[in-house]
Amino acid sequence: THQDEISILVDVGTNAEVVLGNREWLMGCAGAAGPALEGGVARMGMMAGPGVVDKVIADPETGEFRIRTIENKPPVGICGSGLIDLVAQLFLLGMIDLRGKYVKSKCGKRLKQVDGVNHFVLVFSKDSGTGNALTLSQPDIDALIRSKAAMYTILTTVTRMINVSVLDISRFYIAGTFGFTIDPKSAITIGMIPDLALETFKPLGNTSLTGASLALLSGKAREEIYKIRDRVTYVELNVNQEFMNLFSAAKFIPHTDRSLFPSVRAWSSA
C-alpha cells in the first residue's frame, strides 16, 4: 500500500482472496478455487504434516521421481504444493497432455488401472509409510485442473476489470502456509498463476496470524488496518459475465492460449 508499482496479494486455499493495487488504489475480490489446491480432493491428499509429500522433482532424462516429505518421514500422502509439483512434472515429461489426460506410452509401469480408472503410482507400496501405494487418479487431476483454472481466472478477471495486464504486476505476494511452500515454477507450469519472472513471487507465510497479532498489540497498526480497509473497492466475481468464458479457456495445461505461458514451452523443451 506504500508503493507506486502494481502488486497483488493472493491468499490461496479452498477460497482465493485477492487484493490488487498500489499506493493510489486497491481492489479486492474472492472466489472459490476448490479444495484440490490444498490436497483435499486427491485420494492421497492430506493437510501438511509428518510424512506428507510437499515436493516432487522428476529427472527429465530417466523419468524417475524424487520426493521430499515433511520431517523426512516415510510418505503417507501429499499436500497441495506436492500435488502441484507432481502434475507440473507429469506435464513437462509428456506423461499427461494439455487436457491433463494420461499418456499411457509415456507413463510406463507407473500407470495402473483400478476399477477402470487410470492411476499414476508416485510411491510404490514397498516404499510407502502406509503400506499402500500413493497414487494420483485421473479424476484427481481433473479436479486440480478445475481448481487451478478457477485460480487463474480470478486473477485475470480482476486485472481485466481495471484494464491492467497481469504482466504489469511487479510483485506477486502469496499468503498462507500453502503459499509459503508452493513452487511458483510448478504453479506457472500448470497455468495456475501468470507467467511472470520467478523473482516476482514473494511468499509471506501466515499473514492472517501476523495481522491479527499486530492488530491486538499495536494501536498504530490497527489504525493503518482501518485505513487500508476503507480504501479497498470490493468487486463481485459471480456477476462478471466474462468469468465463465475465461474459466473454460483456463481448463487446459497451461492454457488454451499457449502464448500466455512462453516459459512453459521453454521448460517443456529443456
Side-chain angles (χ1 to χ4, degrees):
T1 61
H2 301 290
Q3 298 165 351
D4 293 323
E5 298 88 356
I6 295 173
S7 300
I8 192 166
L9 169 67
V10 181
D11 191 339
V12 184
T14 301
N15 293 306
E17 291 84 24
V18 177
V19 178
L20 174 74
N22 59 13
R23 69 165 71 224
E24 300 295 332
W25 55 272
L26 294 169
M27 178 174 284
C29 67
L37 296 183
E38 293 184 322
V41 169
R43 182 179 179 183
M44 62 173 170
M46 299 178 69
M47 296 292 287
V52 174
V53 176
D54 66 349
K55 184 69 181 173
V56 179
I57 301 173
D59 187 322
E61 299 296 327
T62 65
E64 288 301 310
F65 285 76
R66 300 195 307 274
I67 62 171
R68 182 183 72 189
T69 64
I70 298 172
E71 297 183 11
N72 293 316
K73 301 288 187 181
V76 296
I78 193 167
C79 63
S81 60
L83 185 60
I84 290 169
D85 275 351
L86 174 55
V87 174
Q89 293 298 316
L90 289 171
F91 179 73
L92 292 176
L93 290 176
M95 293 181 173
I96 56 174
D97 61 21
L98 77 168
R99 301 168 301 154
K101 304 303 180 185
Y102 283 117
V103 179
K104 187 176 181 180
S105 61
K106 295 284 189 177
C107 293
K109 65 180 181 180
R110 286 186 178 269
L111 193 64
K112 307 290 184 183
Q113 278 214 341
V114 180
D115 297 327
V117 176
N118 282 330
H119 286 249
F120 181 86
V121 181
L122 176 62
V123 179
F124 291 96
S125 56
K126 64 182 178 62
D127 302 315
S128 168
T130 66
N132 298 314
L134 302 185
T135 67
L136 185 70
S137 72
Q138 187 64 65
D140 293 339
I141 296 180
D142 296 341
L144 178 65
I145 287 178
R146 289 192 296 271
S147 287
K148 77 88 184 174
M151 181 76 248
Y152 186 78
T153 305
I154 290 167
L155 300 176
T156 51
T157 301
V158 71
T159 52
R160 285 189 178 204
M161 289 177 76
I162 50 174
N163 294 319
V164 170
S165 167
V166 291
L167 299 179
D168 294 328
I169 296 171
S170 62
R171 292 181 182 84
F172 195 114
Y173 297 105
I174 306 176
T177 305
F178 171 56
F180 199 71
T181 57
I182 190 174
D183 184 342
K185 183 176 178 180
S186 294
I188 291 170
T189 298
I190 69 170
M192 174 182 155
I193 56 179
D195 190 350
L196 302 173
L198 296 179
E199 58 268 23
T200 304
F201 299 94
K202 310 291 183 185
L204 297 179
N206 193 334
T207 53
S208 297
L209 182 59
T210 302
S213 299
L214 285 171
L216 287 170
L217 299 173
S218 169
K220 184 177 180 180
R222 281 197 301 276
E223 288 180 14
E224 185 166 5
I225 289 169
Y226 296 146
K227 289 178 181 177
I228 293 171
R229 178 199 63 189
D230 293 340
R231 288 174 51 204
V232 176
T233 300
Y234 185 79
V235 294
E236 290 283 356
L237 294 180
N238 58 2
V239 297
N240 188 288
Q241 297 299 315
E242 193 179 22
F243 186 89
M244 287 310 298
N245 292 334
L246 293 172
F247 177 66
S248 296
K251 288 196 293 184
F252 293 82
I253 300 177
H255 196 275
T256 50
D257 185 355
R258 297 291 296 274
S259 68
L260 295 173
F261 293 87
S263 296
V264 179
R265 184 178 302 172
W267 296 333
S268 298
S269 59

